[in-house]
Amino acid sequence: MTKKFSELNRRQFLRQVGISAGAGLLATQSITQALAANTTEQDNSTQLTKDDLPSGQTSQQAAAETLQAQTSCITPNIETRLFASSNVGGSDERNELALDRMACAGFKVDNPTITKRQYLRFAGTDSQRASDLQNIATGAIKAPKLLLGVRGGYGAVRLLPMVDWSTLGRIMKERGTILAGFSDVTAIQCTLLAKGGMSSLAAPMLYSEFGKTKPDQVSCRQFVEALTNPNLSVNIPDASLTSPNLPSILSSSEPKTITGTIWGGNLSVVSALAGSEYVPRIAGGIVFLEDVGEQAYRIERMLYDLYLAGVFKDQQAIMFGALSGSGEDSYDKRYDVATVIRQLHKLTGLPIYSGMRFGHIGQKHSFPLGAMCQISPNTVDGYQLVFSNYPTIKSDAIHVEGLWQ
């Protein structure tokens, strides 16, 4: 497939191809209004949650530059549906801007109006939110190529008994559907793997990344790389994103190459599922964990939850991404994340890999969960991950720059 570019600006382009991403996308708000309303990540009407940390870009000048830029878009052909399993999106303008960018990049979103749903703090009632996935399981809606989470926060756990995960997983495998998200979406991803045997993608989401005034270009590029590369590789040079006081590989013996199914996600969410039927039982697996804003003692408590529930049994290794914003312990600052992880190593005896570039941080490196992962130590201090056996999208169907223009 050859990319078809239009030298129109984004608004003209979307009118020409007839994208109707909700009445608000083109009719009720101009791009100027959307950008002006979105010049700060800390709008008073939007409370920050774990999936929605400030990017540091708050100037109106940046918004004006974005508006003035002429955008080369491609015709959106990738069948895409959203699922809103957790928090309500706090800003219509931000969602509309994100939908605009998705279309420009080649993603044809079939259900944009779900971004306007709200019930209490959630993106709709439990039934509405569960239907985003259950309607695919029943065949009421055709499985898309991409199922993209709108945002995290809280609420996905309420939906777990309401979806036929076994059928959903089977249909997704047949279609090659990629479910993408992180943070609270971890509950969906773990359950999809545990009960449906289907992989997913740890990746940025609609509201929390693509709706920013100035999306992180590294995160956008790595999102597309993970969507399109069937042999994705990631090199980790050190453990600094987890803790600067750790080696990249903590092992009681000489590190060696291991291969297994990688699974997990947000530590708070995985620990909340401990002991339930929604935790994957993966023999020889590799457990990945990340979190944000949790002090060292809370991280340790959650890791003990997993340890005492037997989650680390029969696993080959544990991998940590970013554990950002953990702060200092008020009793003794020597008790830090590194101390906690060394204690976990002592408890489990498993090799622990730290510093994976994913979590509630900028410059995320998206990667598949529920896929095969080979971990190889480098000749220096770091390690390399190589992934296989997961669905992908043809690279020429995506115009990556559209995700931040």
Side-chain angles (χ1 to χ4, degrees), residues 39 138 221 305 307 325 356 375:
T39 54
T138 63
R221 288 189 183 279
D305 286 343
Y307 171 71
M356 175 60 177
I375 310 178

Side-chain angles (χ1 to χ4, degrees), residues 83-88 117 119 121-134 154-159 162-163 184 188:
F83 67 97
S85 56
S86 307
N87 277 18
V88 64
R117 292 186 324 215
Y119 173 72
R121 63 171 290 144
F122 307 111
T125 65
D126 291 355
S127 294
Q128 286 176 320
R129 291 180 294 125
S131 71
D132 295 341
L133 302 172
Q134 179 62 7
Y154 169 71
V157 70
R158 297 170 62 142
L159 313 182
M162 303 175 67
V163 177
D184 195 53
I188 303 294

Side-chain angles (χ1 to χ4, degrees), residues 18 64 66-67 130 181 234 255 263 304 309 330 384:
T66 303
L67 175 63
V234 179
W263 66 277
Y304 261 93
S330 59
Q384 182 187 55

Side-chain angles (χ1 to χ4, degrees), residues 250-253 307 312 315-318 341-352:
L250 185 60
S251 178
S252 55
S253 60
Y307 171 71
F312 297 125
Q315 301 303 292
Q316 290 191 75
I318 302 168
I341 291 179
R342 290 182 187 278
Q343 173 68 6
L344 180 65
H345 175 59
K346 180 180 177 181
L347 280 173
T348 64
L350 295 174
I352 296 179

Side-chain angles (χ1 to χ4, degrees), residues 241-242 288-290 319-323 353-359:
L241 282 175
T242 305
F288 169 78
L289 300 166
E290 60 81 23
M319 181 183 298
F320 285 97
L323 294 173
Y353 297 79
S354 296
M356 175 60 177
R357 187 154 200 100
F358 191 85

Side-chain angles (χ1 to χ4, degrees), residues 78-367:
I78 300 169
E79 295 178 3
T80 303
R81 291 189 68 85
L82 306 175
F83 67 97
S85 56
S86 307
N87 277 18
V88 64
S91 164
D92 285 344
E93 291 84 1
R94 180 165 170 165
N95 281 321
E96 289 160 4
L97 184 57
L99 288 164
D100 173 7
R101 287 176 172 141
M102 291 291 292
C104 184
F107 299 92
K108 184 179 180 181
V109 178
D110 292 333
N111 62 334
T113 57
I114 74 165
T115 61
K116 297 182 180 297
R117 292 186 324 215
Q118 181 171 0
Y119 173 72
L120 302 176
R121 63 171 290 144
F122 307 111
T125 65
D126 291 355
S127 294
Q128 286 176 320
R129 291 180 294 125
S131 71
D132 295 341
L133 302 172
Q134 179 62 7
N135 282 344
I136 297 171
T138 63
I141 292 173
K142 179 186 174 183
K145 188 58 183 175
L146 176 64
L147 264 171
L148 180 65
V150 174
R151 70 177 302 184
Y154 169 71
V157 70
R158 297 170 62 142
L159 313 182
L160 302 187
M162 303 175 67
V163 177
D164 180 352
W165 298 102
S166 178
T167 302
L168 178 63
R170 175 180 59 78
I171 291 173
M172 288 177 63
K173 286 179 187 176
E174 292 171 355
R175 176 68 174 89
T177 300
I178 304 166
L179 183 145
F182 80 115
S183 192
D184 195 53
V185 173
T186 294
I188 303 294
Q189 294 169 309
C190 281
T191 305
L192 183 62
L193 181 60
K195 301 181 89 55
M198 183 59 190
S199 66
S200 60
L201 193 69
M205 296 180 285
L206 184 85
Y207 180 93
S208 47
E209 184 62 54
F210 306 128
K212 290 179 179 177
T213 300
K214 198 172 182 67
D216 171 13
Q217 293 188 22
V218 172
S219 293
C220 291
R221 288 189 183 279
Q222 293 303 319
F223 171 61
V224 172
E225 176 71 9
L227 282 176
T228 59
N229 188 344
N231 299 111
L232 180 72
S233 65
V234 179
N235 288 294
I236 306 301
D238 55 54
S240 58
L241 282 175
T242 305
S243 169
N245 299 321
L246 283 171
S248 58
I249 306 174
L250 185 60
S251 178
S252 55
S253 60
E254 186 70 20
K256 59 182 181 180
T257 297
I258 62 171
T259 302
T261 300
I262 189 166
W263 66 277
N266 181 259
L267 173 59
S268 297
V269 177
V270 177
S271 67
L273 300 179
S276 76
E277 62 187 292
Y278 305 114
V279 175
R281 269 72 172 178
I282 306 292
I286 300 164
V287 186
F288 169 78
L289 300 166
E290 60 81 23
D291 219 317
V292 61
E294 301 289 359
Q295 293 184 46
Y297 80 93
R298 290 177 60 86
I299 292 172
E300 181 170 291
R301 177 188 290 157
M302 291 185 284
L303 290 171
Y304 261 93
D305 286 343
L306 298 177
Y307 171 71
L308 295 174
V311 170
F312 297 125
K313 288 181 180 178
D314 300 323
Q315 301 303 292
Q316 290 191 75
I318 302 168
M319 181 183 298
F320 285 97
L323 294 173
S324 46
S326 59
E328 289 187 350
D329 187 79
S330 59
Y331 290 91
D332 191 328
K333 65 181 181 180
R334 293 174 298 177
Y335 178 73
D336 59 5
V337 166
T339 303
V340 167
I341 291 179
R342 290 182 187 278
Q343 173 68 6
L344 180 65
H345 175 59
K346 180 180 177 181
L347 280 173
T348 64
L350 295 174
I352 296 179
Y353 297 79
S354 296
M356 175 60 177
R357 187 154 200 100
F358 191 85
H360 293 75
I361 55 171
Q363 302 186 1
K364 297 184 207 23
H365 284 228
S366 299
F367 68 97

